[in-house]
Amino acid sequence: MLAPQLITKLDQRLAKLLEDCSVINAAVVTTADGHMCAMRQGNQDYPLERLATMGSTLMSLGDTITAELKMGTCDNIISENKQGIVAFMHINNNLVLVTLTVQKNALGMLLSHSRRCAEEMAQFV
Amino acid sequence: MDYQITTRALDKTNNVFFKSMLQLIQNQLTQKWSYEESAHIILVDLEQPDGIEFWISKPRDVFLIAYARQNFYHAEWFLQKPLRIQPLLQLLNSLAMLQPAQLLINSPPITANQCPPPPKPSSVASVPAAALPSVPSLFSKAMSGTSEGKNKYCLDNKLEYFEPSIYLLGLLQESLVAARPRRFSCLGSAPLYILPYENRCFSAVTKMQQLDSLQENLYSSYAKNIKVVNLTPEELLAEVQKNALRAYPMDTALWLATLRCSHGRLILGQAPDSVIRLKYWPNFVVLPHDTVHVGLAAFMLKNTANLITIAQKTHTTLETVVDFFNSCKMIELTIEEPASESRLVDKKIAEPKRRTLKDILNRLLR
Amino acid sequence: MSEIKLVFTGSAGAGKTTAISTISEIPVINTDVRSNDFTTHLIRQSIDTSRKETITVAMDYGELTLDDGQKLRIYGTPGQQRFDYMWKILIKGALGLIILVDNAGDDPVGDLARYLDNFREFIKETSAVVGITRMDLSPEPNLEIYHEYMQSHGIRLPIYSVDARSRDSVVMLIHALVAMLEYG
Ligand SMILES: Nc1nc2c(ncn2[C@@H]2O[C@H](COP(=O)(O)OP(=O)(O)OP(=O)(O)O)[C@@H](O)[C@H]2O)c(=O)[nH]1
Ligand SMILES: [Mg+2]
């Protein structure tokens, strides 16, 4: 598992993400093999542990698909739903960021803030 | 009260043994028991063809005790082979506790839950035992049954049993009982070594699954053609090492020696109409087998049925079923239940699916 | 029939991915990632120098073309309990199930019990076989213990000790499964 200091830093960065972008309702950092590292959510009560493992499953399927199609690496996976959007993206080979919003028209905001967050996290892990 | 007992179909040694043991335990018996040439309490050896014939002829006005290694016939009164003092004592003392009338009335010697008791003859005319067909009830029913499949699923009329003692199997069994390390050889075949207390055997054969006809020889031979040599465990292990022999579980040898010799005949002492299932899946890794045996194992694992039903439901010949059953029984894989316990899983499989399964197997076994 | 599909499931690291690779005619599509599982690593290291580096997080997929041109699809599930949602997805429409259990794990008989329980409904409708792997690394519990367990729970399924790296082993399992589907 990751070092505790690192987990603290990831956690703080997630807190900042939710502060910076109010449309984001929850965010999770998970290892590629499905272990939750850090999580933040607003007033909601999402099963974030579960979201973490599922995030790793989906990200690996995304990688498998893009490898099969020879499309380079999979940047992110977006799930657009009746009541919101979920985005999955790599932080690096070993970590995945999952973020979600209940606002159906906030895809751009969700993606840009999440991507910046992932890039910054990649710097310090 | 004085009791008289006699024996039926015991060989000479067993009989002498029985008589002297009876003498020996006299003062521990609650009643006086004596051996007579003729008596109405009869100990019947159910591992001898004579004994079986006598038993299934259901003689009247006698009280029968089954004598065998296992109580195949689910006899109410049973004495286990080999003869031992304690069980004999217990048996005779329990018999002495019965009401005299119970001993005089002929309790049906074949268990009531397997075969209906014989109809009471209205006339006194008693049928001589020899005149009764010696075909066990179930198989005769199958023969006289529906015209479809007539004679297809019935055992040999002559009720010929598979008698292990005249084959390698008998030698193996005897060595296991005696716990003697031994070497068995037969012209042309690699010898088989057994180490009873480790429950292992050894052979130069690297793949028991694919024996050529020469190697098969040993397993299908009559005992009289097999050379048996006693070895000490050290001698045996030295030969194993010197010849780099492969180790197999004892079950492999017992299984093979049964499968290759039973030729569709039920093993001696086996009631032909009992219903059977497998205790657990046979370890085919060490048990030489054909594809058909895997199907039989699957059926017999889930269903409890008699041999004829097994053959019918799996579209297999009765001979194959009997050989497989004998072999499973030899390594204690089978469970026998009273006929009322017969239980068939209602299984319907659509034809296209059956074909697909065949295709998968063909592809994998190619 | 719309789909011809077999599923391999069973305890973490039992050899599902390995088994599928031995019979698939296409390179197995797998979703293995580097494992961070500390505990698994430590256990494995103590018994096995060739410790397993990766785990399956979504599925394995292999194929076998049958003689009539149809494809047999072979799926493997992730082994770790936390991916159990994939089990339900993958088992849909399968012909039968192959359960592999790592005998060198912490509680192999318990693992078997859990998988039998997880797939209880499916097994009742179709059938399954059980393969106990890595017995060379850890001979105990032996097959008799599993036999006793299954007998005492009224479970009548084929069970073998197998090496997931050996094609013969895997074929033997599927053979038993097919026999159960047809006659069991
Ligand atoms: N020594 C030994 N190794 C085995 C045996 N069977 C499988 N293995 C090894 O055990 C490991 C199994 O790894 P995988 O095939 O990835 O296991 P898995 O079940 O797919 O694992 P997850 O998907 O993570 O649950 C491989 O390294 C195999 O080579 C066996 O019988 N003996
Ligand atoms: Mg795997």
Side-chain angles (χ1 to χ4, degrees), chain A residues 23 25 46 78-87 99-107 110:
Chain A
V23 300
N25 300 90
Y46 294 113
I78 299 153
S79 155
E80 294 197 69
N81 319 295
K82 288 259 148 27
Q83 287 163 27
I85 309 169
V86 192
T99 51
L100 67 88
T101 171
V102 293
Q103 300 195 16
K104 286 201 63 183
N105 55 2
L107 178 62
L110 177 76

Side-chain angles (χ1 to χ4, degrees), chain B residues 171-186:
Chain B
L171 299 177
L172 293 175
Q173 287 178 312
E174 196 264 316
S175 311
L176 288 177
V177 171
R180 300 295 298 257
R182 279 180 181 155
R183 180 180 65 215
F184 304 92
S185 50
C186 171

Side-chain angles (χ1 to χ4, degrees), chain B residues 36-285:
Chain B
E36 300 293 335
E37 283 309 318
S38 140
H40 91 275
I41 301 176
I42 309 174
L43 181 73
V44 187
D45 189 332
L46 287 187
E47 290 180 6
Q48 302 296 336
D50 280 359
I52 297 169
E53 197 158 324
F54 180 66
W55 185 270
I56 61 183
S57 73
K58 305 171 191 168
R60 291 149 44 77
D61 298 327
V62 288
F63 186 92
L64 301 186
I65 303 159
Y67 179 51
R69 270 166 291 195
Q70 279 186 53
N71 192 0
F72 295 127
Y73 282 74
H74 308 280
E76 196 175 342
W77 295 94
F78 169 73
L79 183 63
Q80 192 173 23
K81 276 188 185 182
L83 202 52
R84 288 201 186 87
I85 291 190
Q86 272 311 321
L88 181 62
L89 253 178
Q90 266 174 16
L91 175 82
L92 298 183
N93 284 339
S94 322
L95 287 179
M97 276 160 59
L98 294 180
Q99 297 295 326
Q102 282 177 285
L103 269 176
L104 283 168
I105 294 167
N106 177 26
S107 61
I110 298 185
T111 56
N113 53 13
Q114 278 201 56
C115 303
K120 283 223 170 67
S122 47
S123 73
V124 214
S126 79
V127 191
L132 285 166
S134 57
V135 183
S137 55
L138 192 109
F139 290 98
S140 36
K141 234 183 277 162
M143 277 190 297
S144 58
T146 53
S147 58
E148 161 240 338
K150 195 176 175 189
N151 277 335
K152 193 167 155 207
Y153 295 112
C154 58
L155 272 188
D156 192 348
N157 262 356
K158 292 192 295 292
L159 190 75
E160 203 193 326
Y161 276 93
F162 166 48
E163 158 70 80
S165 67
I166 61 173
Y167 298 98
L168 172 68
L169 182 58
L171 299 177
L172 293 175
Q173 287 178 312
E174 196 264 316
S175 311
L176 288 177
V177 171
R180 300 295 298 257
R182 279 180 181 155
R183 180 180 65 215
F184 304 92
S185 50
C186 171
L187 212 63
S189 305
L192 175 74
Y193 294 76
I194 68 163
L195 200 50
Y197 66 91
E198 284 190 9
N199 218 5
R200 286 201 297 169
C201 60
F202 303 87
S203 161
V205 175
T206 46
K207 267 206 151 167
M208 282 286 187
Q209 185 62 256
Q210 295 154 0
L211 292 184
D212 57 35
S213 54
L214 209 55
Q215 300 303 334
E216 288 268 342
N217 236 342
L218 174 64
Y219 298 92
S220 51
S221 258
Y222 284 113
K224 61 176 196 268
N225 300 330
I226 296 171
K227 190 171 162 214
V228 185
V229 178
N230 283 326
L231 299 170
T232 64
E234 296 73 34
E235 286 167 340
L236 189 145
L237 290 172
E239 290 202 28
V240 166
Q241 194 155 39
K242 190 178 95 206
N243 303 315
L245 302 182
R246 269 185 83 113
Y248 293 93
M250 198 58 223
D251 280 355
T252 304
L254 290 171
W255 168 274
L256 205 52
T258 314
L259 202 59
R260 294 292 178 261
C261 292
S262 80
H263 303 302
R265 299 164 303 172
L266 262 184
I267 197 156
L268 191 63
Q270 174 61 39
D273 51 354
S274 42
V275 298
I276 294 145
R277 68 179 174 88
L278 292 187
K279 243 188 261 178
Y280 47 81
W281 187 255
N283 187 3
F284 285 122
V285 181

Side-chain angles (χ1 to χ4, degrees), chain C residues 28-98:
Chain C
V28 172
I29 297 177
N30 72 14
T31 56
D32 278 24
V33 300
R34 277 247 314 283
S35 169
N36 289 306
D37 247 309
F38 226 63
T39 48
T40 346
H41 269 186
L42 286 181
I43 294 162
R44 277 184 204 299
Q45 251 176 324
S46 62
I47 46 169
D48 178 8
T49 43
S50 67
R51 72 170 201 221
K52 193 166 114 76
E53 300 274 351
T54 63
I55 67 160
T56 304
V57 297
M59 62 163 108
D60 305 303
Y61 176 77
E63 271 180 12
L64 201 61
T65 312
L66 305 182
D67 291 342
D68 62 357
Q70 291 199 84
K71 292 236 185 297
L72 170 67
R73 301 166 199 281
I74 311 153
Y75 289 84
T77 72
Q80 315 266 350
Q81 182 88 36
R82 60 181 184 279
F83 299 105
D84 58 2
Y85 48 88
M86 288 306 295
W87 303 348
K88 289 191 196 72
I89 298 173
L90 293 172
I91 199 69
K92 251 181 239 157
L95 277 176
L97 179 67
I98 297 128

